[in-house]
Amino acid sequence: MMRWQKAGLAILALIGTTNCPHSFGRGGTVDRAIHKDTLELYEAGCTDEERIRVCKGKSPEECAEICD
């Protein structure tokens, strides 16, 4: 009987974890919220040192979105 309970719990856990990409995946609710919070941190603009650090590997549009 104990194996069936563990198997049932494992199935429920699998369903629960695969049902959340809309929240935790790339472009999901949490990802967008973190992006918005990050943009608010840099709302005042970036110094030259911050611009170099933040913009490394990003397109000019992404950099302008963050630092301007």
Side-chain angles (χ1 to χ4, degrees):
M1 185 68 166
M2 197 62 125
R3 285 189 221 176
W4 287 107
Q5 289 174 345
K6 288 182 182 178
L9 186 59
I11 290 171
L12 287 175
L14 182 64
I15 291 170
T17 56
T18 58
N19 200 19
C20 298
H22 68 278
S23 294
F24 296 101
R26 180 167 259 170
T29 308
V30 175
D31 187 48
R32 288 188 311 238
I34 291 171
H35 181 71
K36 182 180 176 187
D37 290 345
T38 304
L39 290 178
E40 288 175 2
L41 286 174
Y42 290 105
E43 196 171 79
C46 298
T47 64
D48 290 337
E49 293 85 20
E50 289 174 328
R51 184 175 293 274
I52 291 169
R53 182 177 50 84
V54 170
C55 296
K56 185 176 184 177
K58 291 188 171 63
S59 70
E61 292 82 20
E62 289 175 318
C63 185
E65 185 179 295
I66 294 170
C67 284
D68 294 335

